[in-house]
Structures are given as structure tokens and as C-alpha cells.
Amino acid sequence: MKKLLAASSLFLLLGLLVLPNVAGAINAYDLGLNYGTGTGLTHEDLRTTASSIINIALSLLGIIAVVIVIVGGVKWMLAGGNEEKTGEAKNLIGAGVIGLVIILCAYAIAAFVINSLVTATGGTGTF
């Protein structure tokens, strides 16, 4: 029991002596972020990167929804009065419009959440 107590006391003492040296060796401004510069990565804030990714994703989805509406319009024009083709075209246009509404709602929610996070954490910038 005495050997265990002596060993734990020795480790505690060594830990207390070594810990300030280890803590002092860590540079607060170099936490591995500089290693990314060689690969072309930047030091941007995570919120800025997240908002950029969300903007790009929603933009691509918006383009796809607009293309669906255009394809539906072209099918309607080329239907030649055929009710089956006209119904299919109407369904495509309706799906595209619903998709656009969902995408715009997602953009509004994401903009609100990210702007709230930026203002709550004292940052500057907008979505």
C-alpha cells in the first residue's frame, strides 16, 4: 500500500512539474491551422464556410427545380392537345413549383439560424 501511495505521489509531483511546461509549449495561435495552407485551405470561420456550402447547395437545387419547370413547360407546348401528355407536364410544373417553394423556405430558415448564431456569438457578417 505504501508503494502504491509513493508511486502515485511521484506521478502527481511529476505531473505538476511537467504540466506548466507542456501548457507553455502550446502556441494559442498555432493549433494546426497552418498545416492546411499547403493544401489551399483557408482560415475562414466555420460559420462562413457552412453558410457558403448551404448557399451553393440551395442554388444547385434551385437550378434543378427551375429546369424541371422548364421541361414541364416544353412538354406542355409539345403535347399537341394530348390530355395524357398535358397532365404529365402539369405534374412536372407543379412538382417544380413545390420544389422551389421548399428551397426558398429552406433558405429562409438557414439564413435566420445562421444570422442568429452570428449575432449571438458576437460575430459580424450575414448569410
Side-chain angles (χ1 to χ4, degrees), residues 16-127:
L16 291 175
L17 291 174
V18 173
L19 187 61
N21 294 332
V22 173
I26 297 174
N27 185 356
Y29 299 106
D30 185 25
L31 297 175
L33 295 176
N34 290 332
Y35 295 116
T37 57
T39 61
L41 299 175
T42 63
H43 297 293
E44 284 189 26
D45 189 15
L46 183 62
R47 295 170 295 195
T48 306
T49 305
S51 66
S52 297
I53 291 170
I54 291 170
N55 277 332
I56 291 169
L58 290 177
S59 298
L60 290 175
L61 290 174
I63 290 170
I64 291 171
V66 169
V67 166
I68 289 173
V69 171
I70 291 172
V71 167
V74 169
K75 281 191 173 190
W76 196 342
M77 288 189 299
L78 297 176
N82 187 353
E83 289 295 324
E84 183 179 320
K85 290 182 181 180
T86 305
E88 182 181 331
K90 285 181 183 180
N91 288 338
L92 274 176
I93 292 172
V97 169
I98 290 172
L100 282 172
V101 168
I102 291 171
I103 292 166
L104 289 174
C105 289
Y107 178 82
I109 291 169
F112 174 74
V113 168
I114 289 178
N115 288 334
S116 298
L117 285 174
V118 167
T119 55
T121 56
T124 57
T126 58
F127 184 68

